[in-house]
Amino acid sequence: MLRAFVIILLFLFIGEGIQTMVSLSIPGNVIGMVLIFVGLQAKLIKLEWVKPASDSLTRYLALFFVPPGVGLLLHLSLLSQYGIPILLTVGISFLITLASTAYVFHLSQKPK
């Protein structure tokens, strides 16, 4: 399990480093996730190496939403002022994400 966490953290730090050096607008953790995904797809990293940590993190995923929820409560005045634009943005981005995910899944299911 320790190796799994080390690999995941290594890719997180690599992603953060790339983001800092190149000054991208993409967060470093997203860059790290893309890199670990590419590593898994290219078979440079075995799934068994990262699965124990990823399963543990997924099991407690709900806890990661507590700080943003508290942050929302702290800024209720902003939320009431900009609620409609925020809801529209979240709704539209949700639909775009849903459609693109479904499309990629559909492409991946085609027989080769």
Side-chain angles (χ1 to χ4, degrees), residues 2-52:
L2 180 62
R3 175 175 58 179
F5 276 112
V6 168
I7 292 171
I8 290 173
L9 286 174
L10 178 69
F11 276 92
L12 170 67
F13 292 138
I14 291 170
E16 291 289 340
I18 291 172
Q19 193 274 334
T20 301
M21 287 189 298
V22 184
S23 298
L24 293 172
S25 60
I26 301 170
N29 57 346
V30 173
I31 296 169
M33 282 193 300
V34 169
L35 290 174
I36 201 166
F37 174 75
V38 169
L40 286 165
Q41 291 299 312
K43 306 280 191 237
L44 298 172
I45 304 167
K46 292 182 180 178
L47 182 60
E48 301 84 42
W49 293 352
V50 293
K51 188 162 176 44

Side-chain angles (χ1 to χ4, degrees), residues 26-92:
I26 301 170
N29 57 346
V30 173
I31 296 169
M33 282 193 300
V34 169
L35 290 174
I36 201 166
F37 174 75
V38 169
L40 286 165
Q41 291 299 312
K43 306 280 191 237
L44 298 172
I45 304 167
K46 292 182 180 178
L47 182 60
E48 301 84 42
W49 293 352
V50 293
K51 188 162 176 44
S54 63
D55 287 345
S56 295
L57 290 171
T58 304
R59 188 175 310 118
Y60 299 108
L61 189 63
L63 292 176
F64 296 125
F65 290 101
V66 172
V70 172
L72 282 175
L73 293 176
L74 289 174
H75 298 288
L76 280 178
S77 61
L78 281 175
L79 200 56
S80 64
Q81 184 178 358
Y82 298 107
I84 300 296
I86 291 171
L87 285 176
L88 283 173
T89 304
V90 168
I92 291 169

